[in-house]
Amino acid sequence: MDIGVHTPPLADESLEGALDYLSKIGVDAIEPGVGGYPGDAHLVRRDYLDNEDAQADLQDLLEEYDMRVSALATHNNPLHPDDEQAETADTELREAIRLADQLGVDTVTCFSGLPAGGPDDEVPNWITAPWPSEHADAHEYQWDVAIEYWADLAAFADDHGVDLALEMHPNMLVYEPHGMARLREATNERVGANFDPSHLYWQGISITDAIRYLGDAIHHVHAKDTRIYEEQAREKGVLDTTDYDDEPNRSWLFRSVGYGHGEDHWKDVVSTLRMVGYDGALSIEHEDSLTSSREGLEKAVDLLERAVFREQPGEAYWAE
């Protein structure tokens, strides 16, 4: 395994500046944004797509800093009921897949997207309960929309030899492991998870159980923590619409690795990932409003360096 970083927190740096900094703190891989919510501060997609000279320059720069690209990130909503927004998201995804293929990167990280609750609705609708019954009907409509779209995109990704790593994210159709498995079963094995535990913690999902359940459907991993603040959660639960920067009044916050769950927990996460065969990057996503980006990244790297396995396991000679 290696330690990576999702680079939007360093958007004020050039790509070379970000690589220089990250290499000095012990990072092995980057996950740059190429569209959607992560933006494209470090890798403007259309500057590199079909541009062999730019791609060669990028590879030279990565080699100079002994860095690799674990995935290209374009998190957006290709199922949006607004045709223009959906078309933009679809274009970003397809161009990211093509660029990944050209760069020799095997993964694009993304969201499942979220449709409206019916063909005449104008906004996406996150449905979390089957009653009243029109919600169950809307949910099945959404799955019909999603499967039609993702079956086509999965075939496109397969043509390019690229995996689609969907982050299970609330306010998206796929937000937990069973939904992830359902979409994968309905499409192909190119569709899998960008396993980000931060969104699962506050839903009450056991991280190691979710890893075991998904197994080889895990294509990429985000290293990102969450802390539930029981003082608030006991009063209003965890479906909390309080602003993220109103930290004292939220029932949970995204935290730097180690500040939501301790080192022993993260060692269990890494060990369970190895058990199911994952040996890729742990890509740190910094969204902790209680610390600066650099301090959060450095503390996360420090903890993960003690947790990751750098070598392949040897023979179990004691079992012979």
Side-chain angles (χ1 to χ4, degrees):
M1 295 181 189
D2 50 16
I3 297 173
V5 165
H6 185 35
T7 63
L10 301 174
D12 59 338
E13 293 276 3
S14 66
L15 176 59
E16 184 167 10
L19 291 174
D20 181 58
Y21 165 67
L22 293 172
S23 68
K24 288 175 179 175
I25 66 171
V27 172
D28 311 291
I30 60 168
E31 179 196 354
V34 295
Y37 291 107
D40 59 3
H42 295 124
L43 204 67
V44 179
R45 188 180 68 255
R46 290 184 175 174
D47 287 352
Y48 290 88
L49 189 62
D50 301 323
N51 186 334
E52 293 183 0
D53 291 339
Q55 292 173 18
D57 290 343
L58 174 62
Q59 295 294 354
D60 289 344
L61 190 61
L62 291 168
E63 289 176 12
E64 179 181 350
Y65 290 97
D66 194 22
M67 199 78 64
R68 72 179 184 91
V69 177
S70 66
L72 301 180
T74 175
H75 305 153
N76 47 30
N77 185 2
L79 308 181
H80 201 288
D82 180 89
D83 290 341
E84 183 175 348
Q85 292 191 55
E87 183 177 353
T88 296
D90 177 66
T91 298
E92 290 173 339
L93 275 166
R94 291 177 188 273
E95 290 184 352
I97 290 166
R98 289 179 53 220
L99 180 58
D101 183 11
Q102 293 173 13
L103 292 175
V105 175
D106 60 9
T107 305
V108 168
T109 57
C110 51
F111 291 146
S112 67
L114 182 67
D120 299 322
D121 294 353
E122 296 182 356
V123 295
N125 188 346
W126 186 40
I127 296 167
T128 59
W131 186 90
S133 59
E134 60 259 41
H135 291 269
D137 295 340
H139 197 230
E140 285 308 306
Y141 163 81
Q142 291 180 320
W143 271 100
D144 290 343
V145 170
I147 289 170
E148 180 179 2
Y149 175 79
W150 282 100
D152 182 68
L153 192 71
F156 182 80
D158 192 46
D159 288 342
H160 289 274
V162 173
D163 288 334
L164 298 166
L166 280 65
E167 187 173 335
M168 295 172 285
H169 196 296
N171 287 316
M172 296 292 162
L173 185 64
V174 172
Y175 61 91
E176 47 75 34
H178 286 255
M180 182 73 260
R182 179 178 178 179
L183 189 61
R184 179 177 171 88
E185 177 66 24
T187 54
N188 66 29
E189 292 188 353
R190 290 293 179 186
V191 174
N194 178 25
F195 192 93
D196 185 333
S198 68
H199 304 289
L200 306 184
Y201 287 126
W202 67 263
Q203 295 182 68
I205 296 170
S206 164
I207 302 306
T208 52
D209 288 345
I211 292 170
R212 288 174 181 269
Y213 175 77
L214 288 170
D216 63 4
I218 297 174
H219 292 327
H220 194 258
V221 173
H222 271 178
K224 181 178 166 192
D225 215 335
T226 293
R227 171 71 185 274
I228 297 174
Y229 292 92
E230 296 292 345
E231 302 87 342
Q232 296 296 334
R234 283 194 296 266
E235 295 177 359
K236 58 179 176 178
V238 294
L239 295 176
D240 193 350
T241 58
T242 305
D243 289 342
Y244 281 107
D245 59 1
D246 186 8
E247 295 93 348
N249 294 308
R250 281 191 55 81
S251 57
W252 58 269
L253 291 173
F254 295 132
R255 298 304 317 273
S256 301
V257 172
Y259 282 82
H261 298 78
E263 186 170 323
D264 286 348
H265 169 79
W266 280 96
K267 287 178 176 177
D268 284 344
V269 170
V270 167
S271 297
T272 309
L273 285 167
R274 170 153 282 192
M275 286 180 189
V276 302
Y278 183 80
D279 201 34
L282 302 178
S283 186
I284 300 165
E285 182 179 23
H286 174 83
E287 291 184 349
D288 187 341
S289 60
L290 298 181
T291 182
S292 70
S293 294
R294 290 190 176 225
E295 185 173 16
L297 289 173
E298 289 167 19
K299 289 182 181 298
V301 170
D302 179 62
L303 186 150
L304 290 175
E305 189 59 57
R306 295 190 297 275
V308 297
F309 297 110
R310 292 293 188 179
E311 300 178 5
Q312 291 298 317
E315 294 294 329
Y317 61 85
W318 56 90
E320 296 177 355

